[in-house]
Every structure is written in C-alpha cells, then in structure tokens.
Amino acid sequence: MNWRVAFAVVAAAAVAALPWRAESQPRHLKVGFVSTLSGGGAALGTDVLDAFNLAVRHLGGRLGGLPVEVVVADDRLDPDVARTAVERMLRRDRVDLVTGIIFSHVLLAVGDLVFQSGVFYISPNAGPAEYAGEQCNALYLNVAWQNDNMHEAMGHYATLKAYETAFILAPNYPAGRDALTGFKRFYKGRVVNEVYTRLGQLDYSAEIAQIRAARPRAVYAFYPGAMGVNFIKQYAEAGLMQQVTLLVPGFSADADVIRAVGKPMVGVYNSSHWALELFNPINRRFVEDFRRTYGRTPTLYAAQGYDTALAIDHGLRATGGDISRKAEFRKAILSGFDSTRGKVRFNRNGYPVQDYYLRQVVELPNGEIVNRLRGTIFRNHGDAYVSRCRLPE
Amino acid sequence: MPAVLVVEQLLNGVQFGLMLFLLSAGLTLVLGIMDVVNLAHGSLYMLGAYFAATVASATGSFWAGVAAGVLLTAAVGVLLEVSVLRRVYTRDHLSQVLATFALILVFNEAVRMVWGPQALHISVPPELARPVQVLPGLPYSAYRLVLLGVGAALAALLFFLIHRTRLGMWVRAGASNRSMAQAMGVPIRQVFTLVFAVSAALSAVAGALLGPILAVQVGMGEDILILAFVVIVLGGIGSVKGSLLGSLLVGVVDTAGRAFLPPLFAKLMAPEVASNLGPTLASVLIYLLMAVVLFFRPRGLFPVHS
C-alpha cells in the first residue's frame, strides 16, 4: 500500500469516527477547563484543577449524575492564548460549560465568546467588577467572591485596628484595580501612596524603597502567586517586617506562598472566605483527601476548585442532568449549595453573599507553618455592584 | 524627595544594571565577534538558574549551586556552539534567528519536561537574608549588596581580559575585522568556542544569582533577553564598554522610572489618569531612551565596526 492510500484510509476512518463517537455517548458532561498552568501563576491553576478533579472523584466520577469529561487547556496567563483555547473548546469539543480561569483580564477576554455561544461560565476564581454591575450575565456564576471582597475585608480590618496611614500596592490589571478600590472602600485612614506594578513583575526593590521612605503605619499588598512569594520575601529581606505592619489578602498568604517564603511571614494577618479548619464535613473530607492525594496542604484556590464542581453538581441535580434548562440550573445554584464553606448563597449578579474571616500565619510546635482562623470580619457580605445589575433574582 | 530614597533607588538600579551586564556582555561579544544573532542566549540564562537551583537544593549550599550552574551551562554552551551554531556562522541573520529561535522552543519544552511547569522558588542563603545598615536610615538587603559586588568584580575581570591580555586582543581584533584578524593568524575557531563558553557562563552567573530574587521558571529568559538586546543596541554592538554603560543606563532608568514617574504624574493630573499612565509610561521608558540614543548615535554609544 503506498502512503497516499494509507493516508486516505486513515483520514476516512477518522472522519467516520467523529459523529459516531458523539452518538454513542449521548449523555455525558463535557467541561472546558481553561486555566493558568505554567509560569508564575501555575500553582494557582494547578490547585483549582486538582481540587476540581478530586471533587469529581468524590462524586463517583459524575456531576449531577452525568459522567464527566474534562478538556484542559493552559492559558499561559495570556488572553490571546485563552481566546484560542476557548474558541476551540466551543467549536470543536462542543463543551457544555467552561470554567477554570484564574486571572480577571483573561476572563474578560473570553467571557463574551462563552456567553454568545449560550454556554455557562462558572468562575472558580476571577471575579471582575465588570461582570458584577451593568454587564452582569445570566450565564455567569462565580463560586468564589467578587474581586473587591477580600480586600474590603482587609480594609475594614485596618480601620478596626485604627492604622492611620497605609501604603497600598497591586499589579496593574483589572483585579489589581478592583483590589485597591475594595480596600479603599472600607479603609477610613489615609492612603499615603497607591502603586500599580506591572503584572508578573518579580523584583520589588523600587517599591520597597518607596515604602521605606513613606513610613506608613501599614502596607496593604495584593500579589497572587509568584508575585506574592517574591514581594513578601523581599519585604522581609529589606527588614521591613519589623517596622511596618504588612497586611495581605488570603491570596498572598496561603499554603503556596507559605511553602516558598517560610518563616519570615509568620505573624502576617490576612483575609479569607475559607480556612483549613472550617468545621463542616465537606471541608474536612476535602482537606484530608487533598493532602492524601496530592501530598500538599490545600489553598483557598483549591477549595474554590472543589466548590466549583460541587456547584455544577448541585445545579445539574435540580435539572435532572439537563444543562440546557439554563434558568433552572442557574436558580438552583443561586439559591445556595453546600460547599467547603458551608452553605453559600448568591446575589442576582451571580456573586456569593458570605462570611469573610481573619487568618494569621502561625508556626505550630512541630515547625509546620499554617494559617489559623482568628475571627470573622464580615458576615453575609455581598458586593458593591449588585444594585446596577438588572437580572431577575 | 529624601536623599536616602534616591540613594536606595540608585543602588537598586545599579544592581539590576550589573546583572543585565552579565547577560548583555556575552550577547554583544557573540554578535559583535561571531556575527551571530543568538536568541537562545536567554535560554542559557534560564538553564543556569535551573542547574543552580537544583544543585543548591540537593547539596544545601547555595554557592555550590552557583558554581555547578555556571560550569554546566558553559558546557552546554560549548556543545551548542560545536553542534548547531558553527553551522550557521556563514548563513544570513534570518537563518540564525530561525535556528536560535528554534533552540528557545526546544530548551523551554525540555525544561518543562524535566522540571515541570511550576516555578521553582529558591531562598537567599540564610547568612545573607538580612538587611545591612549601608547609611544611617538605610538598611539594604545583604544579598543585593553581594550581587553588586559580584557584578562589579566580573565586569572588572572582563575588562582586564579584553584590554590587557593577548586573548582579549584577539577578541577585539575579531570584533573589528574578522577576516583581517584571521589573516594575521588569530585562531578564530577556538576563540569563537571560548567566547561562546564565556558568554554562556556569564549568563548562567546572572541566572543563578537572580534566581532567589526573581523566580526560576520556564520563559524567564525571554523577558530579560529583550532588555539585553536593548542594552547592546544602546551600547554599540560588539563593545563590552558600551554594554556596561548601556546596562547601567537601562537599570537606573527602569528603576527610577518605576519609582519616580508615578508620584510625579500623581502631582500633575487626576489620580485615575495618573494611576493608569504612570506605570504604563514607566515600562516604556527604556524604549524611549533607546529611541533617543539611536536618533543621535545610530550605531550606539561606542560603535566598534568602522
């Protein structure tokens, strides 16, 4: 057989196989999972994906009774790469819903694409203000938080502690601007400087010098992933830890950052909607099995990934496994589902109304460094934009 | 503006500049002497960082990691020169760009396969993980002071090698007129291999030393390679003196831009505009600098070829 014939046979077989395969499995759920799985944000996406898979395994390999197939793509923190991946998922793989994105600017670049295809986007992390107000969408749900929330909690905490002055920093991208807007909304002291750095910047010597010169009472820094690791390490190396109180959101003080920074960050206060020791059966099973399966302590990102699968499962159960019954699916999730944080309810814009806690990084007697729950900052806290969203309840 | 802040930002700028010099010195020699556009230079920097991080965490000694990283990367450099680059010396620049760009992809994928996609975080050696009082009211990271020292020492060593030794004379001769140097009996082939090994070793020093400050990750070479190219174009291709001056300029201008432009803008315009425009302009400042220098001196600050 010459190669032309061989090629023709293989091509014909491949074409013939496509529709046939789709028909043989009429009822299964195809999840498009786009996330940051390489570079400085890799730890975040990996945690969400691992925990999502763990939840699916806990639910017997099914969500809402349907067998699950997860199509995974790495966005490499690049909106263009994400767009291409999502387009392929929607057109070629024909996924039933999309999830996984970590960074808000990546989500904002692909959101319209997903919504126009009539497919749900269930966000495990990115919660831009854009989708909370006028541009809210019936196909959008966020199981984690609105971007401002964690920072509002820390702003409120800084006010409670009566820190008169604060120097605040974040990366220059939508979630960074949401972060500092959120902090300022609840911080009543004086902001001495508001600095936006390049997304992905790893050397903070110039900013740390500015902090030293400004002599604020407190520093508030929103840096997720590798940016947080570097900022906190350099902050400690510059000797600022003893001079200026460092406040961070939970993103910059979770297990991933603690693993890399270690002892210098013991004592740092941070805000979170989730904590390792939250006492409910779902969280206990999640924390224990995550540690056993992946050999590391789960982060809040992991909890969100786990909850994303639980939310989808909850919504599908209400519609008998039919995701095309969109209004019912949405309504079932909005009215609340049981998560690692207990029962989570939502506003009409698809963002949660929940408690926000204060945590502190502590060193246990056995030398392990973990976050400990220290109290509750907000109860049943929603976002600031929901009044501008015109969707029905 | 307090003087201490200016001094600290100057230290930061010079430290960044010296690390950039370690990278651009090799790049400018390879481009100036061998006439090869080596885009894979950033990959050698990445390899240096990965080798150093791996050996450092295996042996527990940061400096053993740096030494191993430099030696291993120099060895990879020699292999690369003998196996790939030698074949593209006589080709045009486009083929060289294609070949070395392919090398970037190969190295990135290879590193991803060996070390995984997640960034490695290595710590500053514990004896240096503390601030040192440089001036009254100015504690400065001990590790960054060591970087300053190592960068300055290597720059001095490189100048001595190039301007005071026979080998350096060959290198300079090769840079200004290759065929003439060859006709005068300079063993060009060996000099090329040696220059390539030295340039790989220098970029590995930068990678290994910057590892604890930045993060060791796939693609770390490309970000800094762009800056290294800006430096050698600024300084004049083939000139080590030019690349030192260019590096320091880029380091100081970049740091000063990030530190002083946003507050300046905040005084001049509305805060919403300033918070957007300040960081954006700060990040393009070095390219503006390059454009201005090239306008007045199209061949860079210290042109080598006549």
Side-chain angles (χ1 to χ4, degrees), chain B residues 69-81:
Chain B
V70 171
L71 290 177
L72 286 171
T73 311
V76 172
V78 170
L79 267 176
L80 209 61
E81 201 269 340

Side-chain angles (χ1 to χ4, degrees), chain B residues 37-40 43 95-107 222:
Chain B
V37 182
N38 180 23
L39 295 183
S43 300
S95 320
Q96 295 170 352
V97 164
L98 274 177
T100 53
F101 184 72
L103 284 175
I104 292 186
L105 301 179
V106 170
F107 277 120
E222 282 87 270

Side-chain angles (χ1 to χ4, degrees), chain A residues 44 47-48 51 102 123-127 142-154 220 222 248-256 269-280 283 286-287 298-308 337-346 350-360 371-383:
Chain A
L44 286 50
D47 267 4
V48 173
I102 301 293
S123 185
N125 194 68
N142 184 310
V143 302
W145 24 255
Q146 196 276 317
N147 281 347
D148 303 19
N149 290 152
M150 294 274 224
H151 316 284
E152 289 171 347
M154 262 350 246
Y220 183 70
F222 164 55
V248 295
F251 314 112
S252 312
D254 219 314
D256 58 325
Y269 283 100
N270 60 92
S271 56
S272 179
H273 58 320
W274 171 86
L276 267 182
E277 66 265 47
L278 281 186
F279 194 77
N280 65 66
N283 195 42
F286 157 67
V287 171
T299 57
L300 62 91
Y301 301 106
Q304 293 162 192
Y306 193 86
D307 289 343
T308 304
F337 75 101
D338 289 314
S339 75
T340 56
R341 297 158 265 164
K343 188 120 183 153
V344 176
R345 288 183 186 77
F346 294 81
Y351 280 102
V353 180
Q354 60 189 346
D355 295 351
Y356 289 87
Y357 306 104
L358 181 69
R359 303 187 305 183
Q360 188 184 22
N371 250 310
R372 273 283 166 266
L373 209 51
R374 287 290 187 236
T376 307
I377 302 178
F378 286 138
R379 285 199 191 283
N380 290 324
H381 185 69
D383 62 89

Side-chain angles (χ1 to χ4, degrees), chain A residues 201 206 212 230 233-234, chain B residues 8-9 122 139 144 213 258:
Chain A
Q201 179 179 318
R212 202 198 307 283
N230 282 24
K233 272 207 289 195
Q234 292 165 20
Chain B
E8 185 170 1
Q9 297 294 21
I122 47 174
R144 285 176 195 267
I213 290 191
R258 273 196 289 142

Side-chain angles (χ1 to χ4, degrees), chain B residues 130-154:
Chain B
R130 62 193 168 78
V132 171
Q133 205 73 25
V134 182
L135 286 174
L138 175 59
Y140 194 70
S141 154
Y143 183 72
R144 285 176 195 267
L145 285 178
V146 170
L147 293 198
L148 271 168
V150 172
L154 282 176

Side-chain angles (χ1 to χ4, degrees), chain A residues 65-118:
Chain A
L66 300 179
V68 179
E69 183 191 340
V70 184
V71 183
V72 180
D74 178 10
D75 64 34
R76 288 185 275 156
L77 227 170
D78 182 339
D80 290 331
V81 173
R83 262 189 94 83
T84 316
V86 167
E87 233 157 53
R88 199 181 56 226
M89 283 175 177
L90 292 169
R91 304 259 150 75
R92 196 190 68 188
D93 301 321
R94 302 202 165 274
V95 296
D96 299 303
L97 60 88
V98 181
T99 181
I101 295 171
I102 301 293
F103 289 89
S104 291
H105 66 303
V106 177
L107 172 57
L108 289 170
V110 304
D112 286 345
L113 212 61
V114 180
F115 303 147
Q116 279 159 18
S117 308

Side-chain angles (χ1 to χ4, degrees), chain B:
Chain B
M1 196 157 295
V4 172
L5 176 64
V6 177
V7 172
E8 185 170 1
Q9 297 294 21
L10 205 62
L11 279 176
N12 289 333
V14 171
Q15 176 250 312
F16 179 48
L18 282 172
M19 289 298 112
L20 212 49
F21 168 70
L22 294 185
L23 214 73
S24 54
L27 196 63
T28 203
L29 285 178
V30 169
L31 185 53
I33 297 167
M34 294 148 76
D35 200 24
V36 171
V37 182
N38 180 23
L39 295 183
H41 198 67
S43 300
L44 294 168
Y45 162 82
M46 171 179 74
L47 277 183
Y50 268 98
F51 286 142
T54 310
V55 175
S57 60
T59 61
S61 159
F62 178 77
W63 300 109
V66 173
V70 171
L71 290 177
L72 286 171
T73 311
V76 172
V78 170
L79 267 176
L80 209 61
E81 201 269 340
V82 173
S83 62
V84 180
L85 287 168
R86 218 167 250 190
R87 287 162 221 291
V88 298
Y89 286 152
T90 49
R91 308 273 185 87
D92 57 355
H93 282 166
L94 188 61
S95 320
Q96 295 170 352
V97 164
L98 274 177
T100 53
F101 184 72
L103 284 175
I104 292 186
L105 301 179
V106 170
F107 277 120
N108 279 352
E109 273 319 302
V111 166
R112 210 188 293 269
M113 277 186 232
V114 176
W115 282 281
Q118 299 213 5
L120 305 182
H121 292 286
I122 47 174
S123 291
V124 168
E127 66 273 17
L128 297 175
R130 62 193 168 78
V132 171
Q133 205 73 25
V134 182
L135 286 174
L138 175 59
Y140 194 70
S141 154
Y143 183 72
R144 285 176 195 267
L145 285 178
V146 170
L147 293 198
L148 271 168
V150 172
L154 282 176
L157 181 70
L158 205 59
F159 273 96
F160 176 77
L161 273 178
I162 287 178
H163 292 284
R164 292 280 180 274
T165 63
R166 175 169 291 271
L167 180 69
M169 208 163 67
W170 288 346
V171 168
R172 275 180 292 143
S176 58
N177 192 332
R178 184 172 12 163
S179 42
M180 186 62 82
Q182 211 161 3
M184 303 297 277
V186 175
I188 283 294
R189 190 172 246 220
Q190 285 83 336
V191 170
F192 278 12
T193 310
L194 189 72
V195 165
F196 203 79
V198 168
S199 95
L202 285 176
S203 61
V205 174
L209 291 181
L210 284 177
I213 290 191
L214 308 177
V216 181
Q217 60 191 21
V218 174
M220 64 189 280
E222 282 87 270
D223 295 339
I224 204 156
L225 183 74
I226 296 171
L227 286 182
F229 269 110
V230 170
V231 165
I232 68 169
V233 170
L234 263 179
I237 290 162
S239 161
V240 175
K241 203 197 309 176
S243 87
L244 178 62
L245 194 73
S247 304
L248 293 177
L249 258 178
V250 168
V252 171
V253 167
D254 184 55
T255 309
R258 273 196 289 142
F260 301 126
L261 262 192
L264 181 71
F265 278 34
K267 285 203 179 73
L268 296 178
M269 52 189 88
E272 308 84 68
V273 186
S275 72
N276 266 326
L277 199 59
T280 314
L281 197 68
S283 61
V284 297
L285 204 59
I286 50 170
Y287 303 101
L288 279 178
L289 170 78
M290 180 171 79
V292 169
V293 168
L294 288 186
F295 181 79
F296 291 104
R297 304 190 67 131
R299 290 169 163 279
L301 295 169
F302 296 95
V304 168
H305 297 277
S306 42

